């Protein structure tokens, strides 16, 4: 899964969608409703952003994944392919319960300060309502380390594999906060047994309206994707022997 942190313009999302598709991505990500630390930061294009994502899906054929922040928006997300619950809402139990009533895959990101047990309990909130289509996403947790935005807990992947049948993917962009670290941690996620990756890609990271520092250019994503696919192939062969 790849795409910009925020959907910004029609040209931007269509261009990035095309580029990540050509590199081998199978889902387009892009935030329309953005949970920002500061209320003065860009909050997303909201419903217009959803429409732009649908437009990019039409142009490229890539299914879309985007973040929901409140239960009253569920109808608006009707034609979204995967609904993302962000780290800040991992324990918004009322939202999780409502998402349990619909028949749509939910990408549940790990909370900033959540244990694996708490994360799995949040997945249970969705599944208890009858929606078993939950995908977990490790996106780093807050520790005392400041060299990276968060600390990528890669051991969460094999731990989840032991405790649950749910697929688990890794987001090295939010985990590290630095584009220069994304390639190495993407490869490490493959080796840890992750079922997928979610990577932020922007046409012009320096001028991105959110998360530019951790966003890859399409060219950088081409390189990362090539290496990831090559490593995944080798990994699967090693594991099957
Ligand atoms: C995002 O995917 O852009 C995002 C806000 O992620 P997280 O909830 O992991 O911080
Ligand atoms: Mn982001």
């Amino acid at each position: 899964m790849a795409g910009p942190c925020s959907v910004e313009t029609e040209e931007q999302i269509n261009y990035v969608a095309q580029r990540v598709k050509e590199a081998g991505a199978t889902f387009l990500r892009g935030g329309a409703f953005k949970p920002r630390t500061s209320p003065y930061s860009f909050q997303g294009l909201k419903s217009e952003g959803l429409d732009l994502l649908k437009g990019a899906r039409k142009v490229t054929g890539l299914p879309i994944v985007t973040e929901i922040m409140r239960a009253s928006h569920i109808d608006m997300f009707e034609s979204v392919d995967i609904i993302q619950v962000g780290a800040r809402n991992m324990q918004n139990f009322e939202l999780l319960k409502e998402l349990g009533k619909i028949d749509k895959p939910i990408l549940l990101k790990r909370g900033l300060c959540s244990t694996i047990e708490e994360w799995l309990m949040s997945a249970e909130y969705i599944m208890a309502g009858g929606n078993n289509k939950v995908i977990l996403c490790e996106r780093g947790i807050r520790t005392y380390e400041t060299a990276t935005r968060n600390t990528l807990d890669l051991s969460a992947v094999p731990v989840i594999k032991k405790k649950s049948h749910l697929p688990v993917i890794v987001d090295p962009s939010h985990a590290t906060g630095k584009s220069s670290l994304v390639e190495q941690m993407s490869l490490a996620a493959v080796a840890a047994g992750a079922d997928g990756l979610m990577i932020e890609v922007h046409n012009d990271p320096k001028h991105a309206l959110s998360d530019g520092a951790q966003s890859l250019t399409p060219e950088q994503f081409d390189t990362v994707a090539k290496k990831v696919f090559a490593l995944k192939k080798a990994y699967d062969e090693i594991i099957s022997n």
Side-chain angles (χ1 to χ4, degrees), residues 5 29 34-35 67 84 86-88 109 139 171 174 198 200 211:
C5 179
R29 69 144 284 146
K34 295 303 303 177
E67 178 169 356
Q84 173 174 329
R88 289 156 191 82
K109 294 190 112 182
R139 45 79 72 209
D171 169 354
H174 292 88
M198 177 183 256
E200 284 186 341
D211 287 350

Side-chain angles (χ1 to χ4, degrees), residues 133-208:
K133 296 175 183 163
V134 180
I135 305 161
L136 299 168
C137 179
E138 164 62 41
R139 45 79 72 209
I141 48 175
R142 183 159 289 182
T143 68
Y144 51 78
E145 183 53 69
T146 56
T148 48
R149 184 178 181 185
N150 293 288
T151 296
L152 179 53
D153 179 14
L154 275 183
S155 56
V157 176
V159 170
I160 294 284
K161 294 278 170 195
K162 284 212 168 60
K163 287 179 178 278
S164 161
H165 66 282
L166 295 172
V168 54
I169 71 167
V170 169
D171 169 354
S173 307
H174 292 88
T176 62
K178 293 181 176 168
S179 59
S180 62
L181 300 177
V182 168
E183 175 178 307
Q184 198 78 63
M185 299 323 288
S186 297
L187 296 171
V190 172
D195 297 298
L197 291 164
M198 177 183 256
I199 297 176
E200 284 186 341
V201 179
H202 194 280
N203 51 305
D204 181 8
K206 278 200 184 69
H207 298 105

Side-chain angles (χ1 to χ4, degrees), residues 35-200:
R36 304 303 301 280
T37 300
S38 164
Y40 308 113
S41 298
F42 178 59
Q43 302 284 307
L45 294 180
K46 308 194 172 76
S47 65
E48 190 197 338
L50 290 182
D51 290 340
L52 294 179
L53 278 171
K54 290 177 209 163
R57 175 175 61 192
K58 207 166 180 182
V59 175
T60 59
L62 283 181
I64 54 179
V65 49
T66 193
E67 178 169 356
I68 195 165
M69 295 209 287
R70 57 169 82 168
S72 60
H73 284 174
I74 288 178
D75 287 347
M76 208 195 291
F77 280 61
E78 169 84 65
S79 79
V80 167
D81 299 287
I82 297 182
I83 298 181
Q84 173 174 329
V85 174
R88 289 156 191 82
N89 273 311
M90 189 204 84
Q91 287 192 317
N92 182 340
F93 299 122
E94 294 309 310
L95 174 62
L96 301 178
K97 281 189 225 168
E98 292 304 316
L99 293 171
K101 296 179 190 163
I102 64 173
D103 183 25
K104 195 179 278 296
I106 309 297
L107 180 69
L108 180 64
K109 294 190 112 182
R110 183 177 182 178
L112 282 81
C113 301
S114 298
T115 65
I116 292 172
E117 205 53 45
E118 288 163 344
W119 188 16
L120 287 172
M121 280 301 139
S122 289
E124 289 295 330
Y125 263 97
I126 300 168
M127 294 189 287
N131 183 358
N132 290 318
K133 296 175 183 163
V134 180
I135 305 161
L136 299 168
C137 179
E138 164 62 41
R139 45 79 72 209
I141 48 175
R142 183 159 289 182
T143 68
Y144 51 78
E145 183 53 69
T146 56
T148 48
R149 184 178 181 185
N150 293 288
T151 296
L152 179 53
D153 179 14
L154 275 183
S155 56
V157 176
V159 170
I160 294 284
K161 294 278 170 195
K162 284 212 168 60
K163 287 179 178 278
S164 161
H165 66 282
L166 295 172
V168 54
I169 71 167
V170 169
D171 169 354
S173 307
H174 292 88
T176 62
K178 293 181 176 168
S179 59
S180 62
L181 300 177
V182 168
E183 175 178 307
Q184 198 78 63
M185 299 323 288
S186 297
L187 296 171
V190 172
D195 297 298
L197 291 164
M198 177 183 256
I199 297 176
E200 284 186 341

